Amino acid sequence: MMEEAREGSLSVSAQTIRVTEAVRDGDALTFIVISQKLSGSGEYHVARTHEDFQWLQQCLFSQEVVPGILGVIFPPLPAKPQLNAPAKVLKQLGFLAMGEDWRMYCMALETYLQQVAAHTTLSKNKCLENFLTSSEPPGRQRVRKGIFNRLSQAMEGMRKEGHKDVDDFFQTERDNNLTLTGCSKSATERFIDVVLTEQKLAVACGHFSTALHLCVEQEEDSAVLAFSNGSVPMIKNYRPLHALICVKLSEVIDSIKRNFESVAENNLSTLGLGLDLESRCQEAEKEMLYRRTCKLVELETASRNAERAKPVKKAAMDELKVAAEKEFDHVSGVAKQEIARFHSTHVELLRQALILWCEKQLETARDTSFRYSQHLQAFKGLGE
Amino acid sequence: MDPSLSASDIASSTKPLSEASSPPVMDLLSEPASEASSAPMVDLLMEPASEGSSAPMVDILSEPASEASSAPMLDLFMEPASEASSGPMMNLLMEPASDDLKEPPKPDIDPLADILNDTPLSEVKTPVAAMPQETPSDLFDDEPSELFAEPRQSNTAKQQQTSIFDEPDEDLFSEPLGEASKKPQNDFFKEALAPVAKASNVCGPLSDNYNEHPTDIFTEEAMTTLPSAVSTVSVNSKTNGVHSDEEEPDIFAEATVELSLDSPRNDRKKKEAAKPSASAPAPSVSASASKPQPKTLEELEEEVEDKFELNISITNPEKVGDGMNAYMAYKVSTQTTLPMFRSKTFTVRRRFSDFLGLYEKLSDKHTPNGYIVPPPPEKSIMGMTKVKVGKEDNSSAEFVERRRAALERYLQRVVFHPSLLQDPDVREFLERDDMPRAHNTQALSGAGFLKMINRATDSLSKMTIKMNESDVWFEEKLQEVEAEDQQLRKLHIMVDSLVGHRKELSVNTGGFAKSVAMLGSSEDNTALSRALSQLAEVEDKMEQLHQEQAASDSFCFAELLADYIRLLGSVRASFDQRMKTWQRWQDAQNMLQKKRETEAKLLWANKPDKLQQAKDDITEWEAKVTQYERDFDRVSATVRKEVLRFEKEKACDFKKQIIKYLESLLQSQQQLIKYWEAFLPEAKAIA
């Protein structure tokens, strides 16, 4: 506990942490992390790579001194962004690979750092302070394979995921989590499809608009201009009118394009990001529950061993069993708190995303509607 | 014949007049010709007319020609063509001329003819020397071309002057017609004047667009030439067609008075006042012109465009029969106030092949004359087979609706075409209960139809190279049409992909709605769960919206573009037709040249026995050349008029469709706003 005391609390305010941009450097991305000092004014500006983030995550995982650390739902760190990666790899990143200049990814990292900084236990880790404030990149040499090797987890998971829980609370939570993980994942995927189609539509509209504009040859442009200014009394010549219709329609299609662009953008930056985070958080909870299940299995094995143990080994086995019991209780205790916290934050998170989304879409819809009605008026007055 | 005397006298006074003359005159002039013959095909009727009475004309024409080694004569003849290279309307003038030829030159024409003919001479550098000696027919030919060329160059013409000038022209031409039937001169005179005055009036300010008005007049005329023409309409046309030589004195007497006139009505009154002074023997045309109902040009146009009460709708597509013999029958409902129809509303049932049959009939009749006949939708074996098989799924319902709408638009285009509306086949199609089954529509359908158009375009482009285009307008228009065809095809592809994406969006939104519903149902938090299921509902509605929008994209744009791609095919066909008539004319000219060479050889070889035959040949071919040239000019004028009409319709159509599209966009956007507004409190209610 000495260490914990020494680490103390974070010197920056969690809410102010920003990941402002991703700077491309060769094949790697460097993220600019900005945070405000708690004491006085001033900001920390640090440049971090994804490896630095991974290091931070590892540090958080491996705080063996904290009892029941395995019961913590670690904020999910987005997977490593791949530059020049094939589309298939990018697709795994989902929403995070979308948007311009990795903006979505930056936002996800930002959320991650804020969650870590806001976490009562995790924020006390010295590594976080280091990560946020030190101008030098934190030691990358410490990155090592932890207990959370994804491959082994997947293999063991097959065996242990279905393990019957002793506690009904956890059993229900595990069942719920399983369905929610699946649902949120599929919802995210469906939503990605929607956004992708919207983007495609925007592109198609762009082509259409350009093609329409190209229909009007250069020399006709001036005629159109003259006509729309009313300087040419063009009553019966339909060629310029036709050209004007083309130009105007091109503008209409351009409005449609812009509408799709902003709708897609709204989808991305609000609900898309929210759903992505939701599904990753569910995944994180699942991992925590899995770790607890592993402990449960350990404990059960220990108690079985203790029961069957020959008198000679009985004492040692009992000791092991007690230790396992203690650890399991710690983990379960922390897990219960974490789950309660997780539930409220997850609701709040989706609520925020939904409200923001709705408001933005409403705004876009109103703007677009206004623009359409302007176009409509313009067309009604055309050639009259 | 005392051309030199009167001509020299009046030459000075008429000069300004000729400058003032405006294009509409030409059309008016041309009408009488077709009018008089009152045939369905102006062509056909004209031919017998000119042939039947060709003797005097030929004699007149050929005599000086042969005497002067035929060269000057040819020149004169050719003159109009080259002169009026800027205006395809020449032909119109030529027609009246031929009519005149029918008739032995009358003494009272002569002075006028001379006057008229003199003017051009002084204005343009025509072979003046030859002219005076020429027969009236030649003079006539020359003079019209003059008129045409003139107004184009100087649009500053004063309308009053114009009208004065118009009248004499008409008179001259109508005179021959007058022989057909006699009529109280008063009525016809009144009628004749009104439109003319109007025409000149109208064209004054719109000098740029002079084509419009003539066009309409022409259309009217065309209608009346059809046997089916209704009497009221024909009256109007008759008025245009009816002319007398009365005016002759008027011109000179009123030249100054007319200048002060500005309203057509006044004009008319004055004319009437002046009428008594007109010479007594007024042989006039048209027995049916007895209804004194002079419609001005503007009125005519309005009638065609605005007061046009004819609504056609196609409803109730219905499958008739079973299996592969099944077909769709459509209810064609007509609502009209046009007197040409038996009743105000009537309904018939027609099947798709009937529509194709109608097109075939119309195309056979009107395409050779340079008309743009709207093409029907293509036959779709795929779509129809689905319907026949009886799959009641979405795509076949969509197919039927799509076709219904396409047929409706097709039929509307046909009846809104003033010339086509007058076609008896159109009326029969709309009215007749037991329509004989159309045969051989297969050739016209689907790919075959497209191929045909493509072939036409190919041969057309080949011919373009050969044709030494005398009219820049056509050259430019053809290029425009071809460029536009490419553009529309490109746009059509784009709209198709847009529609595809819209549909995809709809499907994806539906998928998202489902997964949100799942998420909602497995969520513990009741408020969140509720909000999510609400969201699922909203997304479901949006799916619907996207689907409607896709349909709207497709109906407003894709179909419109497809229609116009087809229509452009017809436009090209009319250009093609013009080229064909040109080719025929050129061939005839070449033939004539050969005949003349033969004659020259015979003369040289001194073989009088064959000389007569050669002369006869030349006479025959000269007549043909004249005829074909006239045909070409007429077709050119029709094509020009039709293209302008097409462009106008297209602009209106596009505007209308885009407005419709924008309205649908706006509506769905507003619906969207409502959805979001309803959902926002739900989201906020999440605790």
Side-chain angles (χ1 to χ4, degrees), chain A residues 32-83:
Chain A
I32 308 299
V33 182
I34 299 175
S35 51
Q36 268 178 18
K37 291 172 185 169
L38 272 178
S39 53
S41 61
E43 283 178 342
Y44 292 109
H45 286 244
V46 291
R48 295 287 178 259
T49 62
H50 192 263
E51 281 75 23
D52 298 331
F53 279 92
Q54 279 175 332
W55 168 82
L56 174 65
Q57 186 77 332
Q58 285 302 331
C59 291
L60 298 178
F61 283 156
S62 50
Q63 301 181 84
E64 278 145 25
V65 286
V66 180
I69 186 73
L70 294 184
V72 171
I73 300 173
F74 292 101
L77 176 67
K80 187 172 166 28
Q82 303 269 345
L83 286 176

Side-chain angles (χ1 to χ4, degrees), chain B residues 68 91 98 117 124 126 129 163 222 226 229 279 288 304 324 329 389 409 411 414 420 439 457 528 582 606:
Chain B
N91 66 316
S98 75
N117 124 53
V124 191
T126 42
S163 69
L226 297 171
S279 64
S288 67
V304 171
M324 288 318 279
V389 168
R409 288 193 307 271
L411 211 52
V414 169
L420 297 182
H439 293 294
T457 358
L528 182 57
W582 182 82
N606 203 7

Side-chain angles (χ1 to χ4, degrees), chain B residues 131-238:
Chain B
M131 289 300 289
Q133 287 103 310
E134 285 305 351
T135 57
S137 65
D138 277 354
L139 300 176
F140 269 113
D141 281 353
D142 219 42
E143 175 256 317
S145 70
E146 251 316 297
L147 289 172
F148 268 125
E150 278 291 292
R152 292 178 153 250
Q153 272 121 26
S154 62
N155 290 323
T156 54
K158 286 170 194 164
Q159 50 193 67
Q160 290 83 4
Q161 286 176 330
T162 305
S163 69
I164 296 167
F165 204 66
D166 290 348
E167 281 146 23
D169 288 339
E170 285 167 9
D171 294 354
L172 290 170
F173 297 126
S174 64
E175 206 166 332
L177 303 179
E179 285 193 338
S181 69
K182 310 224 167 173
K183 225 219 98 179
Q185 159 211 353
N186 289 0
D187 278 357
F188 111 75
F189 201 141
K190 223 187 289 168
E191 285 155 8
L193 289 181
V196 173
K198 261 284 182 170
S200 59
N201 230 13
V202 171
C203 72
L206 298 174
S207 51
D208 279 339
N209 309 308
Y210 59 93
N211 287 314
E212 285 305 315
H213 301 281
T215 300
D216 284 348
I217 297 169
F218 198 67
T219 341
E220 284 294 306
E221 302 296 341
M223 289 182 198
T224 56
T225 59
L226 297 171
S228 68
V230 188
S231 60
T232 53
V233 185
S234 71
V235 169
N236 295 331
S237 56
K238 294 287 183 192

Side-chain angles (χ1 to χ4, degrees), chain B residues 464-523:
Chain B
T464 328
I465 303 161
K466 270 196 285 173
M467 181 166 182
N468 176 21
E469 184 59 84
S470 57
D471 193 331
V472 187
W473 187 88
F474 283 99
E475 209 174 335
E476 285 177 357
K477 267 298 170 229
L478 186 57
Q479 276 171 9
E480 272 178 27
V481 165
E482 275 168 5
E484 199 172 335
D485 186 57
Q486 294 303 314
Q487 288 164 355
L488 287 187
R489 280 170 203 278
K490 230 164 68 187
L491 291 184
H492 192 249
I493 292 168
M494 287 180 169
V495 170
D496 268 353
S497 82
L498 203 64
V499 171
H501 288 317
R502 284 259 199 216
K503 284 182 179 158
E504 191 186 320
L505 182 60
S506 169
V507 170
N508 286 341
T509 308
F512 178 58
K514 277 195 195 71
S515 64
V516 166
M518 293 265 287
L519 190 64
S521 66
S522 46
E523 174 60 48

Side-chain angles (χ1 to χ4, degrees), chain B residues 507-564:
Chain B
V507 170
N508 286 341
T509 308
F512 178 58
K514 277 195 195 71
S515 64
V516 166
M518 293 265 287
L519 190 64
S521 66
S522 46
E523 174 60 48
D524 269 351
N525 186 300
T526 41
L528 182 57
S529 170
R530 216 175 86 99
L532 286 175
S533 6
Q534 292 283 340
L535 176 58
E537 270 174 43
V538 169
E539 290 292 326
D540 265 338
K541 285 181 200 155
M542 281 184 196
E543 177 195 359
Q544 199 57 41
L545 220 55
H546 289 314
Q547 206 171 337
E548 281 161 18
Q549 202 58 58
S552 164
D553 276 6
S554 156
F555 273 106
C556 284
F557 278 139
E559 293 287 281
L560 182 71
L561 289 173
D563 275 8
Y564 272 92

Side-chain angles (χ1 to χ4, degrees), chain A residues 41 53 70 79 81 89 91 101 107 110 156 191 195 256 269 302 313 330 359 369 373:
Chain A
S41 61
F53 279 92
L70 294 184
V89 180
K91 216 183 161 201
D101 296 331
M107 286 168 88
E110 186 176 299
E156 282 176 51
F191 202 52
V195 174
I256 298 174
S269 61
K313 290 180 182 170
H330 267 298
E359 281 170 349
S369 166
S373 61

Side-chain angles (χ1 to χ4, degrees), chain A residues 71-276:
Chain A
V72 171
I73 300 173
F74 292 101
L77 176 67
K80 187 172 166 28
Q82 303 269 345
L83 286 176
N84 314 319
K88 203 180 154 194
V89 180
L90 275 181
K91 216 183 161 201
Q92 284 177 348
L93 275 175
F95 278 114
L96 302 184
M98 292 162 90
E100 274 167 40
D101 296 331
W102 296 92
R103 224 165 37 72
M104 293 302 127
Y105 196 85
C106 289
M107 286 168 88
L109 283 181
E110 186 176 299
T111 315
Y112 164 76
L113 286 179
Q114 284 175 1
Q115 282 181 336
V116 173
H119 197 279
T120 44
T121 319
L122 301 179
S123 64
K124 288 176 187 135
N125 193 306
K126 201 178 132 226
C127 297
L128 179 63
E129 173 79 16
N130 228 343
F131 181 90
L132 289 174
T133 58
S134 165
S135 57
E136 288 297 306
R140 284 169 202 171
Q141 71 285 355
R142 284 185 59 193
V143 175
R144 59 187 166 95
K145 284 251 166 21
I147 49 169
F148 309 103
N149 188 309
R150 283 185 180 269
L151 186 68
S152 59
Q153 181 194 354
M155 282 167 64
E156 282 176 51
M158 302 284 237
R159 273 192 294 128
K160 292 177 184 166
E161 216 150 57
H163 191 87
K164 184 93 180 72
D165 211 300
V166 289
D167 191 332
D168 277 349
F169 170 81
F170 281 105
Q171 186 61 51
T172 331
E173 187 60 28
R174 273 167 59 190
D175 292 346
N176 278 347
N177 173 259
L178 206 61
T179 45
L180 275 180
T181 311
C183 284
S184 61
K185 203 168 206 152
S186 88
T188 311
E189 278 162 9
R190 295 287 83 75
F191 202 52
I192 286 176
D193 289 343
V194 171
V195 174
L196 282 177
T197 314
E198 281 163 354
Q199 286 175 337
K200 267 193 258 176
L201 266 168
V203 171
C205 284
H207 288 320
F208 189 20
S209 165
T210 316
L212 273 171
H213 215 272
L214 286 178
C215 286
V216 184
E217 291 151 45
Q218 215 60 42
E219 66 260 39
E220 273 178 309
D221 269 348
S222 52
V224 169
L225 204 66
F227 173 56
S228 52
N229 290 344
S231 57
V232 175
M234 191 211 62
I235 305 137
K236 297 287 175 180
N237 191 355
Y238 293 96
R239 187 72 195 163
L241 176 58
H242 184 244
L244 182 62
I245 286 176
C246 277
V247 171
K248 289 278 171 205
L249 182 59
S250 161
E251 285 167 16
V252 171
I253 303 296
D254 191 59
S255 291
I256 298 174
K257 175 197 160 203
R258 277 190 280 160
N259 176 49
F260 276 121
E261 275 173 350
S262 57
V263 164
E265 172 65 26
N266 294 343
N267 283 343
L268 260 185
S269 61
T270 57
L271 191 63
L273 216 51
L275 281 174
D276 179 74

